[in-house]
Amino acid sequence: MKKHLLILIGILSTCSLSCFAQSKYYKASKEWLQKSEASKPALIYKEHHPLRIVNSVKDANAYQGWRMEEVGSIDPLFRESLKKHSGVILDFGEHLTGDFTFSLKLLSKAVSDAPVRLKFTFAEVPGELNTPFDPYPGGLSRAWLQDEVITLMTVPIEASIPRRVSFRYLKIDVLGSSSFDFAFDKMSFKAQSAVEPIRMDLASTTDPLIKQINEVGLSTLKECMQTVYEDGPKRDRRLWIGDLYLEALANAYSYKNHALTKRCLYLLAALSNDEGLLHATVMEDPQPHPQEGQHCLDYALIYNVALLEYLKATGDRETANDLWPVAIRQIEMALRQFSPEMIYDMQKPPIYWLVFDWKDNYDRQASMQGLTIWALLHSYELAKMLGKEKEVKEWPALAVQMKKAARKYFYDKKQGVIVSGETKQVSYLSQVWMILSETLTLKEGARAMKTAMSMPDACYPGCPYAYHYVVEALLKCGMNDEAKKLLVDYWGGMVKKGADTFWEVYDPNNDELSPYGFFPINSYCHAWSCTPVYFINKYPDIFQ
Ligand code: RAM
């Protein structure tokens, strides 16, 4: 009886969650959710084993002050008492995402007479293993950190870590044991991704560092391609619009798994709020649902451009037609935030979170003005491709008005740069978005970029997501050498510091920078950082 009641409660709560999650604004939301499910990729699994034992060495010149040094083969862990090896670090040789299982055996004539308590710490970078997690000072949940304590009541035994992990290094500590000796019998890691690794042969003229950057970008993207485009397989393991856009761009020039992009576009649309505004992020479990109330207006607009790029890459008009009302609605929602003079009003309620970058004190107003124009122009291109331009015939004139207003309000002609906010801040990104939106002419844009990038006090970007758009803007105004140099210096900088997947946050001047107040909680395999794959392969004449 009790069991039946529990099942009923389970069914009701699942149903209420999914009913609650679907947008009431779009009549087709339910169907979109089904289409999204139908495009869900079957994951590909591969078994991996640790390759070697390593030791972490303090080194002021290494990234975050730590590097790994090879110790030797893992064989002793299968022969000698684990008690002797407490604190051992295993290197799996590459970044992996999936599930870890192991078994323990007794050594010689031992008999187990007490439980064994082991701690497994999975780390993407060496610094994570050498920075105490507690007392935890970070802003996000402590539970994201990948340390797991397991108590095993007898040996021999088979066990597994109860959650999916993402890592390259694994540290094992023996926290509790009795007099008997035990060792590993087996150790195995089942890695997963929506795609298989691919080989991409770049032109023989390619700088070896660019080849490496391409490889690291490919691994980053592969690891983030799961049943959605995840932002990071360690954290937050969910779909964000900004990450999706850049992942889909890189995917179109590499793995070409367009079904995953389709799935994500439908999923986001179905989970919009009841005004039709997209949530910036959605989750799959236990049922698809949005992070309620989490709206980022820049991300909502970027969705339209992601849809356009998807249509260009696939020719899938059915999906683009289905989702066209979502694109219109994002523009309408954004326009509500503009003043009568057509300037983005930062103070007008509701005040939206604008992402753009992880960077303190960066003024986002000019960037948002530019991004809205850019999205409007791209959405109009989408309308034209779908033969729907009559529905939105006022958009081109609106874009002209917004550009005019932008030039009046934000362009400092004398200095030749865009300024933003009360302090008239000069940032890289304010220039970038006025270039991408064609508010500045290409000549003005080139001057603005050169000026901003040579100003010691200009606000420079804090993460690879923002640098993506800087590279785009440089390419747009013909600064190809500068774009290539930036790609090599910035992403190459991570490679030189040992990255085998690209990091969520990277400031060459501060290895411990964290938007969350504690660098070990940063994600070190982050979707939005994979875009060199897109640049290198879309523009071979420049990068190869
Ligand atoms: C973080 C993640 C994600 C990003 C959002 C805005 O949680 O880094 O990639 O899109 O912020």
Side-chain angles (χ1 to χ4, degrees):
M1 182 63 193
K2 214 171 159 191
K3 194 176 156 200
H4 287 125
L5 190 67
L6 283 178
I7 293 173
L8 184 68
I9 294 173
I11 293 172
L12 285 177
S13 61
T14 310
C15 170
S16 66
L17 183 57
S18 62
C19 304
F20 162 80
Q22 265 166 54
S23 171
K24 294 192 183 73
Y25 186 84
Y26 304 106
K27 291 207 177 60
S29 317
K30 200 170 161 209
E31 198 187 306
W32 292 350
L33 214 46
Q34 284 159 358
K35 287 193 174 182
S36 158
E37 274 311 294
S39 288
K40 192 173 178 166
L43 293 175
I44 298 161
Y45 298 98
K46 198 172 164 230
E47 196 174 335
H48 288 260
H49 301 278
L51 301 185
R52 56 187 83 87
I53 292 178
V54 290
N55 194 14
S56 44
V57 183
K58 209 171 170 48
D59 179 347
N61 294 321
Y63 181 57
Q64 297 174 338
W66 292 95
R67 69 180 161 78
M68 291 301 188
E69 197 176 68
E70 173 148 4
V71 172
S73 139
I74 58 161
D75 293 351
L77 299 183
F78 296 85
R79 272 195 329 256
E80 298 170 8
S81 174
L82 195 56
K83 292 191 289 188
K84 227 175 88 183
H85 291 282
S86 182
V88 68
I89 301 174
L90 304 178
D91 178 7
F92 281 68
E94 63 185 296
H95 191 281
L96 298 170
T97 298
D99 293 290
F100 181 70
T101 48
F102 63 93
S103 56
L104 298 178
K105 64 185 175 194
L106 289 166
L107 285 182
S108 65
K109 292 195 186 92
V111 181
S112 84
D113 60 0
V116 170
R117 191 169 158 85
L118 300 178
K119 180 173 163 189
F120 294 85
T121 310
F122 296 85
E124 295 181 308
V125 291
E128 267 172 290
L129 289 180
N130 293 289
T131 314
F133 292 166
D134 299 300
Y136 176 64
L140 295 177
S141 168
R142 158 73 173 83
W144 286 118
L145 296 168
Q146 304 180 115
D147 54 335
E148 294 287 324
V149 173
I150 290 197
T151 304
L152 304 156
M153 298 312 290
T154 53
V155 177
I157 196 161
E158 236 183 78
S160 55
I161 300 295
R163 60 153 152 168
R164 201 191 82 183
V165 289
S166 234
F167 76 115
R168 170 170 171 178
Y169 302 106
L170 166 58
K171 183 174 181 197
I172 303 165
D173 293 288
V174 180
L175 300 185
S177 61
S178 167
S179 54
F180 68 91
D181 284 313
F182 57 95
F184 277 105
D185 189 26
K186 282 187 202 122
M187 229 190 269
S188 161
F189 191 77
K190 191 174 163 198
Q192 61 172 66
S193 165
V195 291
E196 298 237 42
I198 49 166
R199 235 187 93 166
M200 291 185 81
D201 292 324
L202 304 185
S204 57
T205 45
T206 315
D207 172 346
L209 185 53
I210 293 193
K211 281 189 185 164
Q212 262 178 291
I213 294 172
N214 196 52
E215 288 305 315
V216 174
L218 282 170
S219 302
T220 309
L221 180 57
K222 168 181 72 70
E223 290 291 279
C224 295
M225 290 176 77
Q226 300 291 334
T227 45
V228 291
Y229 282 115
E230 292 185 6
D231 59 336
K234 175 181 101 174
R235 199 225 80 235
D236 316 325
R237 297 173 50 157
R238 72 193 63 165
L239 174 62
W240 286 86
I241 299 173
D243 302 75
L244 150 82
Y245 171 55
L246 299 193
E247 288 177 280
L249 286 180
N251 170 56
Y253 285 90
S254 54
Y255 299 107
K256 299 190 187 349
N257 183 338
H258 299 300
L260 185 62
T261 311
K262 179 176 170 178
R263 163 167 170 73
C264 295
L265 290 169
Y266 274 117
L267 190 60
L268 284 160
L271 301 176
S272 305
N273 76 3
D274 289 339
E275 281 190 296
L277 181 64
L278 291 160
H279 281 94
T281 180
V282 301
M283 284 154 274
E284 298 177 275
D285 297 319
Q287 289 287 317
H289 65 285
Q291 190 163 336
E292 198 55 41
Q294 184 74 276
H295 301 288
C296 305
L297 207 49
D298 52 340
Y299 273 19
L301 289 168
I302 285 175
Y303 177 91
N304 292 11
V305 187
L307 184 59
L308 169 70
E309 293 298 337
Y310 170 77
L311 176 62
K312 284 187 187 170
T314 60
D316 176 1
R317 296 175 69 85
E318 185 187 320
T319 299
N321 272 316
D322 275 357
L323 300 175
W324 166 242
V326 182
I328 301 190
R329 190 60 183 153
Q330 304 319 298
I331 298 284
E332 287 170 355
M333 295 298 283
L335 290 178
R336 298 203 308 197
Q337 303 309 116
F338 276 72
S339 72
E341 296 79 37
M342 293 317 280
I343 292 294
Y344 185 81
D345 186 346
M346 300 287 279
Q347 305 311 328
K348 192 167 175 185
I351 294 179
Y352 288 105
W353 173 20
L354 305 174
V355 182
F356 286 100
D357 194 9
W358 280 128
K359 181 82 180 176
D360 291 341
N361 305 321
Y362 148 58
D363 193 284
R364 289 160 167 77
Q365 192 186 18
S367 301
M368 188 55 190
Q369 178 89 13
L371 182 141
T372 310
I373 301 167
W374 170 81
L376 194 58
L377 295 173
H378 282 81
S379 305
Y380 192 68
E381 191 182 340
L382 176 64
K384 283 199 293 191
M385 283 182 77
L386 296 175
K388 292 185 184 292
E389 63 271 38
K390 281 206 190 101
E391 285 178 35
V392 292
K393 54 180 180 313
E394 65 286 3
W395 283 2
L398 254 181
V400 171
Q401 248 182 299
M402 289 165 96
K403 282 187 197 176
K404 230 173 150 185
R407 290 181 68 90
K408 192 167 148 204
Y409 201 81
F410 299 108
Y411 190 35
D412 177 341
K413 271 202 187 121
K414 219 163 153 198
Q415 283 194 87
V417 284
I418 297 291
V419 294
S420 185
E422 273 176 17
T423 60
K424 304 228 171 290
Q425 182 192 66
V426 177
S427 68
Y428 287 29
L429 285 181
S430 294
Q431 320 309 313
V432 161
W433 284 106
M434 290 301 179
I435 291 166
L436 295 177
S437 61
E438 298 178 355
T439 299
L440 294 181
T441 65
L442 299 188
K443 208 169 145 203
E444 287 168 342
R447 178 176 171 218
M449 280 316 294
K450 275 185 195 139
T451 311
M453 288 171 86
S454 64
M455 287 168 76
D457 294 339
C459 177
Y460 63 93
C463 70
Y465 175 71
Y467 273 106
H468 165 87
Y469 295 101
V470 179
V471 176
E472 281 278 29
L474 291 172
L475 292 172
K476 187 164 174 95
C477 40
M479 297 170 70
N480 297 349
D481 293 345
E482 287 86 347
K484 183 174 177 181
K485 184 171 180 320
L486 181 60
L487 184 130
V488 168
D489 288 350
Y490 188 69
W491 278 273
M494 283 188 254
V495 172
K496 284 183 183 161
K497 289 185 180 185
D500 36 30
T501 47
F502 287 124
W503 309 325
E504 172 183 17
V505 183
Y506 174 52
D507 181 338
N509 304 317
N510 181 6
D511 283 357
E512 297 190 359
L513 182 73
S514 171
Y516 319 107
F518 188 52
F519 71 86
I521 199 92
N522 289 6
S523 156
Y524 292 93
C525 172
H526 211 68
W528 68 21
S529 312
C530 74
T531 58
V533 170
Y534 162 73
F535 290 120
I536 295 167
N537 297 288
K538 180 172 181 185
Y539 304 105
D541 294 350
I542 300 172
F543 294 100
Q544 295 190 21

